[in-house]
Amino acid sequence: MEFSSKLLENAVNEMSQLPGIGKRTALRLVLHLLRQPESQTLNLAESLSAMRSKIKFCKNCHNISDTDLCEICANPHRLGNTICVVEDIRDVMAIENTSSFRGLYHVLGGKISPMDGIGPNELNIKSLVEKVKEGQIKELIFALGSTMEGDTTNFYIYKQIQGCDVITSTISRGISVGNELEYTDEVTLGRSIINRIPFETSLKS
């Protein structure tokens, strides 16, 4: 792809690093920005810069937040003794959109995947196990996607907390095996949270 401007080429190269964005799509987006008022492009650049430099991770659940404690963890009306274990922020958003869960979350930041070089130490598992061992958690809901990596991660955490006085459950399999939570419709996801089953039962299926 030939460019008449090095500045344009640099912008396209940076834009094309985004997931699902090829060089042609990146060029179309950059040219669109170029046609917009300069203030609009500057606002976009400033918001991205502020997000990258100022965004935080909740010290309690590892959710993305503007403050040390996210809005969900800071809400006194949430059930602090019930934790829903999810892969990332997109899953928190998906479950929150169902309005079917009133507990707290714990964001792992991924799933165990040896083939990708992701082990337990690369995830937020240690802090979750510590929460459970403190004895304040009544129920732990595993809400990872129905994939081999998700099931492996669920089982690893389950083994780490065996012997603790905590109920372990998993979302019901109204969600197709192999699907990610973020792509599941809100009604199905909401029912899966409400109709969750004991984790031990899922191990037998």
Side-chain angles (χ1 to χ4, degrees):
M1 188 178 291
E2 295 293 330
F3 294 90
S4 59
S5 166
K6 192 65 177 178
L7 295 174
L8 178 65
E9 182 179 0
N10 290 341
V12 170
N13 288 338
E14 292 300 323
M15 189 75 75
S16 65
Q17 294 185 45
L18 296 173
I21 304 294
K23 283 290 180 69
R24 293 187 181 279
T25 302
L27 176 60
R28 187 169 68 250
L29 292 172
V30 169
L31 291 177
H32 170 76
L33 291 173
L34 200 56
R35 289 192 295 268
Q36 303 308 303
E38 184 177 356
S39 59
Q40 184 173 329
T41 305
L42 291 176
N43 287 339
L44 173 61
E46 288 172 3
S47 64
L48 291 174
S49 178
M51 177 195 70
R52 191 65 186 88
S53 62
K54 297 180 180 179
I55 206 162
K56 299 181 179 181
F57 291 92
C58 177
K59 63 181 181 181
N60 184 52
C61 72
H62 307 287
N63 189 13
I64 288 176
S65 175
D66 292 340
T67 55
D68 290 335
L69 202 63
C70 72
E71 291 183 355
I72 295 174
C73 289
N75 187 342
H77 301 295
R78 305 289 296 218
L79 301 175
N81 59 4
T82 304
I83 292 184
C84 185
V85 182
V86 297
E87 180 181 352
D88 61 29
I89 175 62
R90 294 170 296 182
D91 299 329
V92 173
M93 295 171 67
I95 294 173
E96 282 297 286
N97 285 337
T98 70
S99 300
S100 300
F101 180 65
R102 298 304 302 162
L104 303 181
Y105 295 90
H106 187 92
V107 181
L108 295 177
K111 294 176 289 193
I112 295 174
S113 179
M115 291 189 67
D116 296 321
I118 302 174
N121 292 333
E122 280 69 54
L123 305 177
N124 299 318
I125 292 178
K126 183 179 179 181
S127 57
L128 173 62
V129 173
E130 289 174 351
K131 283 182 193 177
V132 174
K133 289 184 176 179
E134 287 173 359
Q136 302 299 315
I137 308 303
K138 178 181 178 182
E139 181 181 7
L140 206 63
I141 305 170
F142 295 117
L144 301 183
S146 306
T147 62
M148 182 179 297
E149 293 82 6
D151 290 342
T152 298
T153 307
N154 287 341
F155 187 69
Y156 177 85
I157 297 171
Y158 173 73
K159 295 296 288 185
Q160 294 296 306
I161 61 173
Q162 273 194 319
C164 297
D165 186 20
V166 61
I167 298 170
T168 54
S169 60
T170 183
I171 54 178
S172 64
R173 299 298 184 173
I175 300 172
S176 301
V177 173
N179 278 7
E180 300 290 353
L181 293 193
E182 61 178 302
Y183 302 120
T184 305
D185 67 272
E186 295 176 5
V187 174
T188 300
L189 182 55
R191 288 175 178 171
S192 294
I193 289 288
I194 294 172
N195 299 318
R196 57 187 180 273
I197 60 176
F199 183 70
E200 292 87 345
T201 301
S202 71
L203 294 176
K204 300 173 185 177
S205 60

